[in-house]
Amino acid sequence: MTAAGTPSTPSTPSTPAHGPLTGVRVVELAGIGPGPFAAMLLGDLGADVVRVDRPGGPGLAIDPAHDVTLRNKRSVIIDLKAAEGPDRVLDLTARADVLIEGYRPGVAERLGVGPEPCHARNPRLVYGRMTGWGQDGPLAQRAGHDIGYLALTGALGMTGAPGTPPTAPANLLGDYAGGSLYLVVGVLAALHHARATGTGQVVDAAIVDGAAHLSAMIHGMLAAGAWQDRRGVNLLDGGCPFYGTYETSDGRYMAVGALEQRFYAEFMTLLGIPERAPDRGDPARWDALREAIAARFRTRTRDEWTAVFDGSDACVSPVLSLREAPAHPHLAARATFTDHGGRTQPAPAPRFSATPAAVRTGPALPGADTEAVARDWDVPRLSSPFPHPHRKAGQ
């Protein structure tokens, strides 16, 4: 430490760092879902992320060797329920710029690693808290998952066809868009403030807040009378026949997004029914227009239609599977996906002209980096064994 509560200048980590966050140190208290993804994003951008794994793992998780969200991190194992466990985490936070945790409200405090002791050791620390319901409110202590958070914000109710149950968009919209990305935005804003003022703070990132915030434009349209508060009848929710998906003759699908008139005209010309199509400007005729488009798409395979629309501004794309996506010519040309350690995975995003990010390491295996982190962060106690639970220190 250069001064009380001030992180020392980071030593060079054993793994070369790249990206705009090079030199930023992050402690991630292990969890599942949005917290690890947020920490991965910070690691992708160059931060030195140390994940504090618990003995036995987090419970609901895949084999760490295949968990892409563990890339660009290093791992140590600390038992927070052991007598010296909290102090070892506090030793790390004293050297860190950011801490991320995803416990229920109050758990970090009970474990001895809440904001108060962390800021006592390091007043500049940005303490990022990732939850579904937030740190307060009637549901704060309730268990929950992505689908439930989306349900209460109205976001889930916008998905799916009318007359069918709402469709869960995997965990992309809640956990990652409404959760992880908002946590990262908050952490980076608070880090900027900490560097300008010398004062850290707590970032309360709740998935319900983020998911609600994502619907800002829709709420504006609702207030203006340009959006109906029901599914499948609006411009962007599948109700519009020129903004949706259509099945092809081989049981696959094409996605159509021909909203603007000039794109729509090109779409209808290439589809082959410009003169016979009902008026797109009359919502009363949208059902007839949708059936005309659907009938035409059913005459050819997905790949045949892909060839028809290739190179056009008709705003039509094939719906690809996860395994197909990396081979698409555009994504391949941009290296949107990358291979590392035999695993195909999304490459870091976004891109930077001066400080490019990269997948530097594969998934961090629990505890594999304890010695290196103890050396690089100058935390010697990290690598010493925990005292025997039935002995006093020194015995």
Side-chain angles (χ1 to χ4, degrees):
M1 302 283 280
T2 57
T6 303
S8 58
T9 301
S11 58
T12 303
S14 59
T15 303
H18 304 280
L21 294 185
T22 296
V24 172
R25 287 176 166 175
V26 178
V27 175
E28 173 199 354
L29 301 185
I32 60 173
F37 186 87
M40 180 204 76
L41 179 51
L42 294 171
D44 284 355
L45 299 182
D48 182 9
V49 179
V50 172
R51 176 177 165 96
V52 177
D53 279 299
R54 67 191 70 174
L60 180 63
I62 64 173
D63 180 350
H66 299 288
D67 188 348
V68 171
T69 67
L70 300 184
R71 74 187 186 191
N72 288 340
K73 302 178 183 181
R74 299 190 285 178
S75 170
V76 302
I77 292 178
I78 296 177
D79 184 356
L80 278 169
K81 295 182 179 180
E84 290 190 5
D87 284 337
R88 296 189 185 198
V89 170
L90 293 176
D91 286 349
L92 287 171
T93 63
R95 308 288 194 189
D97 300 287
V98 176
L99 179 141
I100 288 175
E101 62 94 357
Y103 302 134
R104 289 197 204 190
V107 171
E109 284 83 351
R110 290 197 296 273
L111 291 172
V113 292
E116 186 174 342
C118 286
H119 282 140
R121 295 287 297 273
N122 180 0
R124 300 169 62 94
L125 183 74
V126 173
Y127 195 105
R129 316 198 83 162
M130 182 74 261
T131 61
W133 304 116
Q135 295 299 310
D136 53 30
L139 297 179
Q141 293 296 332
R142 287 271 298 275
H145 284 294
D146 178 290
I147 193 169
Y149 311 137
L150 293 184
L152 290 197
T153 61
L156 184 64
M158 291 192 293
T159 67
T164 65
T167 302
N171 69 333
L172 303 179
L173 180 57
D175 278 354
Y176 294 155
S180 304
L181 297 187
Y182 278 86
L183 175 61
V184 169
V185 168
V187 161
L188 295 181
L191 183 61
H192 174 76
H193 174 266
R195 291 187 166 181
T197 66
T199 304
Q201 61 183 300
V202 176
V203 178
D204 174 6
I207 295 173
V208 289
D209 296 345
H213 192 260
L214 288 169
S215 65
M217 184 190 76
I218 304 297
H219 276 277
M221 295 174 70
L222 185 66
W227 189 276
Q228 298 184 54
D229 196 13
R230 55 193 181 96
R231 285 185 286 125
V233 295
N234 297 289
L235 191 65
L236 304 176
D237 67 354
C240 173
F242 40 94
Y243 196 88
T245 56
Y246 290 92
E247 187 175 6
T248 55
S249 63
D250 55 349
R252 296 179 178 181
Y253 294 89
M254 299 294 291
V256 177
L259 290 176
E260 295 83 353
Q261 176 59 46
R262 66 186 185 278
F263 302 148
Y264 178 79
E266 188 166 356
F267 162 60
M268 295 303 284
T269 296
L270 291 174
L271 190 65
I273 57 169
E275 298 85 8
R276 295 180 283 113
D279 179 15
R280 87 175 201 138
D282 182 3
R285 304 194 68 189
W286 275 5
D287 286 344
L289 177 56
R290 180 181 294 103
E291 182 48 44
I293 295 173
R296 185 63 178 152
F297 269 118
R298 286 193 292 265
T299 64
R300 297 185 183 181
T301 67
R302 185 193 69 178
D303 292 346
E304 288 172 336
W305 281 118
T306 299
V308 168
F309 290 104
D310 185 43
S312 76
D313 275 343
C315 300
V316 179
S317 304
V319 178
L320 303 181
S321 71
L322 290 173
R323 294 190 184 279
E324 290 176 312
H328 186 275
H330 180 77
L331 303 185
R334 283 184 58 80
T336 298
F337 291 86
T338 187
D339 290 310
H340 190 280
R343 300 176 192 86
T344 299
Q345 55 196 276
R351 304 179 187 208
F352 300 87
S353 61
T355 54
V359 179
R360 305 182 304 278
T361 68
L365 300 181
D369 307 293
T370 300
E371 296 296 331
V373 171
R375 179 188 67 246
D376 296 341
W377 286 38
D378 190 21
V379 184
R381 181 162 53 171
L382 190 66
S383 60
S384 62
F386 280 99
H388 191 280
H390 300 298
R391 296 177 187 166
K392 295 180 180 180
Q395 285 187 331

